[in-house]
Amino acid sequence: MAALLGRSCRKLGFLSSGHGARRTVSTETGKSLNLYAAINQALHIALDSDPRSYVFGEDVGFGGVFRCTTGLAERFGKNRVFNTPLCEQGIVGFGIGLAAMGNRAIVEIQFADYIYPAFDQIVNEAAKFRYRSGNQFNCGGLTIRAPYGAVGHGGHYHSQSPEAFFCHVPGIKVVIPRSPREAKGLLLSCIRDPNPVVFFEPKWLYRQAVEEVPEHDYTIPLSEAEVIREGNDITLVGWGAQLTIMEQACLEAEKEGISCELIDLKTLLPWDKETVEASVKKTGRLLISHEAPITGGFGAEISATILERCFLKLEAPVSRVCGLDTPFPLVFEPFYMPTKNKILDAIKTTVNY
Amino acid sequence: MAIWFARSRNLISSLRHNLCLSSTILVKRDYSQRPVFTTSQLSSTVFLSPYVASLRHESTAAEKQLDLVQHSDDQEDALQELDFPGGNVGYTSEMKFIPESSARRIPCYRVLDEDGRIIPDSDFIPVSEKLAVRMYEQMATLQVMDHIFYEAQRQGRISFYITSLGEEAINIASAAALSPEDVVLPQYREPGVLLWRGFTLEEFANQCFGNKADYGKGRQMPIHYGSNRHNYFTISSPIATQLPQAAGVGYSLKMEKKNACAVTFIGDGGTSEGDFHAGLNFAAVLEAPVVFICRNNGWAISTHTSEQFRSDGIVVKGQAYGIRSIRVDGNDALAVYSAVRSAREMAVTEQRPVLIEAMTYRVGHHSTSDDSTKYRAADEIQHWKMSRNPVNRFKKWVEDNGWWSEEDESELRSNTRKQLLQAIQAAEKCDKQPLKELFNDVYDVKPKNLEEQELGLKELVERQPQDYPPGFHV
């Protein structure tokens, strides 16, 4: 129940960069936008700034099932913004071909749950395109966008967080924004980055998250984590929608005298080890939280790396608060999810170890 | 609703009166809706000959050949159509299934008979002496190259090799029919296309040895050639992945209004992959200028085509995607040349994909890791090697024209052999890639984790050199 309440309070006031945190985005104010509107703005800017850029995928023509591509076809024409047949391996393969010819191919996979038919094209082709050719060819202009994560009622096939599969693939980048303002800047960086990128958008936040988003063209650097809340007792690391839950846990922990430092990883591959390492060397404790199932999840990579780098500074084992090792369930979603209270419990256990 | 209308004409007539039905439901069959494979007026270009014009009209004849639906129309049914989201379709009260196969297989286009003589009244694009001799030389060179590299693998000098024996006509004649700006996305049995475009024997050898001069920087197995200078995408081992990529490449060329198309190759086995379906469907729907060339050589490693599909080969699949298609004798260099040339023109001027199924036989083993006598008869292989050899067949035609002699033949073969042996020796002796190339090009810029790993490995190699092969300078 608390989890559901927590989710319904997911307005973005909580997630704006906290006191003293490193600011990586211009503080210039803009309009209040939700996540899909911010992504839409990024796509408008991307297509406007490079005439050799394309947006395509299933149903993007009319605006997309999540409205991220609204207005693009009308503005840039059906030659540049178009629907494709229902075939993810075709969508990504076609995008690789376009990108290999020097274009920017911004591809949409309708739900991250359906990205798997394209896994061969992403792993065996896109990720290795530059390396295997001795840098004669590359498909750096490829950006794959996909909505991911829990939405309250999505079940097995509209809720998955598949980021871990992709973090294991040298040659691609994996980026996950936490909010509208972040999403716009990160997406523009991904589109312009000369490497193929998989960009997972937290679908829960498409409408729920509202934030002031600067209207101009700006980018947020990849592979730079951000400390969005400073603290001294424990470091928490997360990405995407989960950060809102984690921040609520941090606020409650503070009432009990526990000072939490919260880090948004943003780019999972290649990830910013230095920022997390510096934080854990300060706090001596680490907690990682993600919606994806715990076994083999990306939290394991962060845990292993931090253990190697910070072993003697650690006061407690690294804690992971994650999804259960089950397919994403429907009626059991509140039990499956890494909730605020599960995180709070883990914070206390870690601090009291 | 459609079924209700189909029941009886009287019912329909009365409904028409009573319900003021739209007249579109009961309209005379409109043939403008049927797909018609005529070509639009091609812009006149110098090299198109009248033969091409006749070939164009042949494509509409093909449509009639492929018409599998046998209409037993009575007059009344012909007048009635139903409209559905996909367009109007006529309907019939006769329940008739389209047969699983045509009474007759799609015939194979050929120009030269087995003795290398032009079949009377053939459609084909004439080939000049200069072009014909060059084509023959390259086919013979490819043959010699294959034999020598194969032997080099047997001797342990290179780790792996794939021959194109039996498919020299497809390799060379298709390449000769393209323009250098056409972007080629190969599978792996098309080195002849790269050879035609000017890749040298030394460059082939360098890739096979993975030495310092290899453009691929030693990262992939032998035969995974690639050259951006020659518009030949780097080969990758996964099958058919290049097909949807070719659709994207073609689309890019179209958007940039280039006088070029994408050309991509696949074997009979590869057409079973999902990427075949994806590639053809995308190219058709998005109207990309792509020529899909399927080398139907009868075998996918040990899997005969009878275990690969139950259709009449690959050519019949084209129409399923709305793609114009032709079946050609892949061992007939002139036929392959004409078909690819025409297909390329259609693709570029009409901005559409075209499918070519080139029938042939894989004379060699699948690769040096295969012994095909384990799954097919040795005399089958011999038969194709000797009596159905595309190189000999074309040679006869070139010789009959007085353009080639036995002296030319022995000179070419011995020179090529010498050149290859020298290339192999040089490639073998050439320095290895420096160790840093292990870490470059994973991304455009080396990320921190790779910088750390490179430092770690350098230190390790210096400390324990005996664990590592020599010659990789740090």
Side-chain angles (χ1 to χ4, degrees), chain B residues 172-412:
Chain B
I172 300 300
S174 67
L178 301 174
S179 84
E181 288 74 41
D182 296 327
V183 179
V184 174
L185 292 90
Q187 179 58 75
Y188 52 62
R189 217 179 288 279
E190 304 92 18
V193 178
L194 195 50
L195 182 68
W196 178 270
R197 288 183 165 195
F199 211 60
T200 65
L201 301 176
E202 290 74 23
E203 288 171 315
F204 282 110
N206 289 334
Q207 195 285 329
C208 288
F209 281 89
N211 62 29
K212 194 168 180 195
D214 169 27
Y215 303 135
K217 300 187 186 169
R219 291 158 183 165
Q220 289 205 95
M221 288 166 72
I223 74 90
H224 290 67
Y225 315 112
S227 176
N228 55 3
R229 257 190 316 125
H230 299 101
N231 285 324
Y232 189 94
F233 271 36
T234 301
I235 291 169
S236 69
S237 310
I239 302 289
T241 48
Q242 68 277 10
L243 300 180
Q245 294 170 19
V249 169
Y251 192 85
S252 177
L253 292 168
K254 173 173 93 164
M255 288 299 289
E256 291 171 71
K257 300 185 167 42
K258 293 261 157 79
N259 179 5
C261 65
V263 180
T264 185
F265 293 83
I266 188 71
D268 42 282
T271 66
S272 297
E273 280 282 0
D275 272 337
F276 174 79
H277 167 71
L280 267 66
N281 198 31
F282 272 62
V285 170
L286 300 173
E287 296 173 9
V290 185
V291 178
F292 293 96
I293 301 178
C294 174
R295 296 176 293 95
N296 183 347
N297 65 18
W299 295 93
I301 309 189
S302 71
T303 306
H304 186 254
T305 49
S306 56
E307 296 179 311
Q308 198 67 249
F309 39 71
R310 284 298 150 90
S311 53
D312 172 16
I314 309 311
V315 65
V316 294
K317 299 186 183 196
Q319 194 178 46
Y321 296 102
I323 293 178
R324 193 175 303 164
S325 327
I326 189 169
R327 166 173 280 158
V328 66
D329 178 350
N331 287 2
D332 176 347
L334 289 185
V336 171
Y337 179 82
S338 289
V340 174
R341 193 62 195 267
S342 308
R344 189 244 174 228
E345 289 314 308
M346 290 173 198
V348 174
T349 56
E350 295 178 61
Q351 301 194 324
R352 58 160 65 241
V354 182
L355 172 66
I356 297 175
E357 179 185 18
M359 311 299 289
T360 182
Y361 185 85
R362 192 196 76 207
V363 168
H365 307 305
H366 163 70
S367 73
T368 48
S369 306
D370 178 46
D371 173 9
S372 60
T373 60
K374 289 207 158 78
Y375 50 80
R376 56 185 187 174
D379 38 327
E380 174 188 301
I381 306 171
Q382 255 324 82
H383 167 72
W384 282 90
K385 189 171 179 179
M386 306 310 290
S387 335
R388 305 286 297 275
N389 187 312
V391 182
N392 293 346
R393 189 162 156 206
F394 192 58
K395 182 183 171 196
K396 284 182 199 154
W397 183 70
V398 176
E399 279 179 339
D400 286 349
N401 284 330
W403 298 338
W404 192 255
S405 68
E406 276 311 312
E407 287 95 61
D408 295 326
E409 180 77 15
S410 43
E411 193 182 325
L412 173 76

Side-chain angles (χ1 to χ4, degrees), chain A residues 56 82 89-99, chain B residues 244-245 247-248 251 282 286:
Chain A
F56 51 92
F82 49 88
Q89 67 197 96
I91 292 168
V92 174
F94 184 89
I96 291 170
L98 259 182
Chain B
Q245 294 170 19
Y251 192 85
F282 272 62
L286 300 173

